[in-house]
Amino acid sequence: MSMFCYQCQEAAKGTGCTVRGVCGKTSDVANLQDLLIYTLKGISIYNLEAKKAGVNNERADKFVMESLFATITNANFSNQDFTNRVKEALEIREEIKTQLKNENVNLEADLHDSALWYDDTREGFEAKAREIGILSTENEDVRSLRELMIYGVKGMAAYAEHAFVLSHKKQEIFDFMQKALVATTKDDLSVDELVALTMETGKYGVEVMAMLDEANTSTYGNPEITKVNIGVRNNPAILVSGHDLKDFEQLLEQTKGTGVDVYTHSEMLPANYYPAFKKYDHFVGNYGNAWWKQDKEFESFNGPILMTTNCLVPPKASYKDRVYTTGVVGFDGLKHIEGKDGAKDFTEIIELAKKCDAPQEIEKGEIVGGFAHNAVLGLADKVVEAVKTGAIKKFVVMAGCDGRMNSRNYYTDFAEQLPQDSVILTAGCAKYRYNKLNLGDIGGIPRVLDAGQCNDSYSLAVIALKLKEVFGLEDVNELPIAYNIAWYEQKAVIVLLALLHLGVKNIHLGPTLPAFLSPNVANVLVENFGIAGITDVETDIEKMVL
Ligand code: SF4
Ligand code: SF3
């Protein structure tokens, strides 16, 4: 075994990748990611003490957040980036130590090894990584809870970072991420205490999602119900994938008047719903589907691609020269656009676009989206009426991630076979399994209501809580809402924990339950929250909807 990673839904054999990631992550990068997380624990041990002494190290807050984000699935595959990050982590840790000394704070003698180890060679990093991997926690339930919490804070870090670049931050979210990391170093925590901390992760999950919602809507306006063009025009163009709206905004500004068009891809599709982006005539629409089809779609797009965070698939040689990374995204050999004080210069991409052919058409027509909380609450009367008259019998939350496995055809079949009086509420790239099916509408309300990115899952919670209020219900679980969520990477973990914190029960999670849930931890979730997997479409529709 040269690595061990089981953080995503595509973990090899449903247990873990041990030689190379199914995602394409190499063992050296997987091990460096483990070492980085370990070193973040060390930083957090010191930084929490520093906070108590009134000296908060903001560099540490930002670094821990960005580094957690960099380790989520399909964000960064670069050995160089992670080597640099481990070095910087050790430097920051020493910086906080000095700050503490200056404040005359003496830490207990028996600090965890993550706060003490040091090396500055690649060989040393490799050797240390072999010692501290996920499997070094021997008790499988403790390991499971520790990793569940770490994956939760990875998702939290992603959302916190998206808000941060829009100048929204909350100290308690930085503090909680560090508290959770430190908790995973404590051998004296009982399983019950770890379960309680996992639930607390969900509490901060709700907070971070609310903060991101505020950041996005206060910067770009409330998403509006929008018809999005999925065809192409004849101009050379740039394709933007990932979740970073700020990068998208800067690219739109810089391409103005250049003759270069801009399209969204995968999770950038919801950018089409924001009023702030509608004013750009050269913003054409969305090209392609969910992340895993990029090997074909980037090829046929013909122009440059800007990859803003996940999900990057290791690029094929045929289009590699046209792919640019930015933010925490990395892949050795791809060109990276650095920012300076938040400003990014995309000139090189724009100049390349001018020399490229226009995108090849892969489909035509329009899809409808933009049903975030504000737009749906604007339709509240209509929705409530439809529920009261029985025109809508059930809402089915089918949010989450898409993935490459054929087993995910289940979600297309499920959407197609749902009774006509049910409405799908979605967010995230999971929607690509059914958002082009033409499922019709109920009295003018489309049967697929897309709130936006996975980042916008908060909207679905707001909608549910509002409906609970309108119908005068005590409990959100009394609503006619079923949850059939598809997961892939760690942002789905924080969304799940956030929903549990809000008291949502009986969530179905698929296409498979996480490999990192030990049987006992899975049982805790089943017994307390009614979490279940999926079976086959007929049985599940019968169980969840009818
Ligand atoms: Fe495997 Fe997923 Fe980890 Fe990649 S992220 S190495 S596919 S478990
Ligand atoms: Fe998708 Fe990567 Fe999760 Fe944002 S683009 S939902 S998988």
Side-chain angles (χ1 to χ4, degrees):
M1 190 186 294
S2 51
M3 61 178 276
F4 184 79
C5 178
Y6 62 176
Q7 68 174 356
C8 85
Q9 191 274 325
E10 293 185 0
K13 300 192 182 112
T15 52
C17 299
T18 56
V19 182
R20 184 190 171 93
V22 172
C23 58
K25 181 162 78 178
T26 52
S27 59
D28 56 320
V29 171
N31 295 337
L32 280 168
Q33 289 186 350
D34 288 350
L35 186 61
L36 178 60
I37 298 289
Y38 192 69
T39 315
L40 298 181
K41 295 179 187 183
I43 292 183
S44 301
I45 290 173
Y46 284 110
N47 207 34
L48 290 184
E49 289 304 320
K51 285 172 207 254
K52 279 189 214 153
V55 272
N56 188 28
N57 187 309
E58 288 185 12
R59 182 179 173 205
D61 284 345
K62 184 165 179 276
F63 182 81
V64 170
M65 170 183 73
E66 286 176 351
S67 297
L68 284 167
F69 188 11
T71 66
I72 70 169
T73 303
N74 291 344
N76 195 315
F77 297 83
S78 162
N79 181 308
Q80 192 57 54
D81 279 8
F82 286 108
T83 304
N84 292 345
R85 275 194 185 272
V86 174
K87 284 184 186 157
E88 191 179 346
L90 292 170
E91 186 189 300
I92 293 175
R93 202 187 68 191
E94 297 312 298
E95 185 180 291
I96 309 171
K97 260 167 131 173
T98 312
Q99 278 180 305
L100 282 169
K101 254 190 215 134
N102 294 342
E103 295 294 319
N104 293 320
V105 179
N106 291 313
L107 290 188
E108 317 141 42
D110 56 345
L111 279 182
H112 186 257
D113 176 67
S114 61
L116 301 172
W117 84 279
Y118 184 83
D119 209 304
D120 55 4
T121 61
R122 276 180 187 255
E123 302 71 44
F125 287 3
E126 276 165 28
K128 189 70 192 174
R130 275 196 295 277
E131 233 176 75
I132 54 78
I134 292 159
L135 297 177
S136 63
T137 301
E138 278 167 22
N139 179 308
E140 69 165 355
D141 299 326
V142 173
R143 185 196 307 145
S144 174
L145 286 162
R146 285 180 176 173
E147 294 308 314
L148 175 57
M149 205 154 44
I150 287 179
Y151 304 150
V153 294
K154 285 187 182 193
M156 189 184 298
Y159 293 152
E161 203 270 347
H162 289 304
F164 187 86
V165 296
L166 298 175
S167 308
H168 289 244
K169 60 177 181 177
K170 276 192 176 170
Q171 191 58 45
E172 67 246 41
I173 292 172
F174 290 126
D175 295 350
F176 182 78
M177 288 191 272
Q178 292 164 39
K179 174 177 150 179
L181 284 167
V182 173
T184 67
T185 67
K186 294 189 170 157
D187 290 332
D188 56 348
L189 286 182
S190 66
V191 164
D192 285 349
E193 285 169 311
L194 283 168
V195 171
L197 271 164
T198 310
M199 292 305 116
E200 200 183 346
T201 310
K203 170 173 173 258
Y204 286 96
V206 175
E207 228 178 271
V208 78
M209 287 161 75
M211 175 172 77
L212 178 56
D213 184 76
E214 172 65 25
N216 285 339
T217 54
S218 62
T219 312
Y220 303 119
N222 273 301
E224 297 166 347
I225 300 170
T226 307
K227 285 185 179 156
V228 180
N229 170 31
I230 55 172
V232 296
R233 298 202 305 206
N234 237 345
N235 303 323
I238 299 169
L239 188 60
V240 188
S241 194
H243 299 73
D244 299 69
L245 297 176
K246 176 93 180 163
D247 293 330
F248 188 69
E249 178 190 15
Q250 294 189 57
L251 184 77
L252 277 177
E253 252 319 294
Q254 293 173 33
T255 39
K256 240 181 4 189
T258 60
V260 172
D261 284 342
V262 175
Y263 295 76
T264 55
H265 175 261
S266 187
E267 274 286 70
M268 197 53 81
L269 158 67
N272 287 274
Y273 312 153
Y274 285 96
F277 302 138
K278 290 186 175 179
K279 61 178 189 241
Y280 296 96
D281 296 338
H282 63 295
F283 177 16
V284 179
N286 190 69
Y287 187 86
N289 295 280
W291 63 272
W292 58 277
K293 290 191 175 166
Q294 67 187 249
D295 59 338
K296 294 199 174 59
E297 294 168 355
F298 286 3
E299 181 109 51
S300 63
F301 185 74
N302 292 331
I305 297 105
L306 175 63
M307 206 59 229
T308 79
T309 67
N310 58 324
C311 278
L312 173 67
V313 172
K316 289 204 290 203
S318 54
Y319 61 80
K320 196 173 178 171
D321 291 350
R322 293 189 272 118
V323 183
Y324 290 76
T325 60
T326 193
V328 301
V329 192
F331 194 94
D332 289 334
L334 295 188
K335 282 167 238 128
H336 188 80
I337 308 286
E338 273 304 336
K340 196 163 183 283
D341 301 327
K344 292 183 182 171
D345 180 356
F346 295 118
T347 310
E348 186 181 335
I349 308 185
I350 299 166
E351 289 310 309
L352 174 61
K354 288 178 184 167
K355 294 183 207 132
C356 295
D357 290 340
Q360 183 189 321
E361 181 181 279
I362 51 174
E363 56 194 342
K364 268 192 212 172
E366 286 175 335
I367 49 176
V368 183
F371 296 91
H373 55 82
N374 191 64
V376 174
L377 298 183
L379 294 176
D381 290 350
K382 229 175 167 180
V383 172
V384 170
E385 192 52 28
V387 174
K388 284 191 177 151
T389 61
I392 295 179
K393 290 229 170 56
K394 202 91 176 187
F395 295 95
V396 188
V397 173
M398 290 182 72
C401 309
D402 198 9
R404 37 166 97 76
M405 305 300 177
N406 286 339
S407 55
R408 288 184 188 255
N409 290 336
Y410 162 94
Y411 294 103
T412 311
D413 299 342
F414 188 92
E416 263 177 331
Q417 291 175 40
L418 275 173
Q420 292 296 321
D421 51 14
S422 51
V423 169
I424 296 171
L425 301 175
T426 192
C429 64
K431 65 168 96 37
Y432 284 102
R433 289 279 168 178
Y434 45 79
N435 68 343
K436 294 173 184 172
L437 288 180
N438 223 340
L439 294 176
D441 64 83
I442 299 175
I445 303 166
R447 288 194 53 233
V448 179
L449 300 181
D450 175 27
Q453 300 179 332
C454 59
N455 301 17
D456 303 306
S457 302
Y458 175 72
S459 260
L460 304 180
V462 172
I463 293 166
L465 294 173
K466 186 71 194 174
L467 288 176
K468 178 186 117 178
E469 191 189 307
V470 173
F471 289 111
L473 303 172
E474 289 286 304
D475 182 344
V476 73
N477 296 297
E478 292 169 31
L479 285 166
I481 304 183
Y483 294 82
N484 192 5
I485 291 179
W487 82 286
Y488 171 59
E489 36 79 34
Q490 298 73 52
K491 286 190 271 179
V493 177
I494 194 62
V495 173
L496 176 71
L497 294 176
L499 288 175
L500 298 185
H501 174 75
L502 291 172
V504 175
K505 297 227 159 67
N506 303 323
I507 296 173
H508 291 258
L509 196 61
T512 53
L513 288 180
F516 55 80
L517 293 182
S518 67
N520 286 333
V521 172
N523 264 342
V524 170
L525 295 178
V526 172
E527 277 163 23
N528 295 305
F529 301 101
I531 295 260
I534 56 168
T535 58
D536 60 84
V537 172
E538 290 74 24
T539 313
D540 288 350
I541 289 184
E542 179 85 31
K543 202 178 342 168
M544 293 182 220
V545 184
L546 298 177

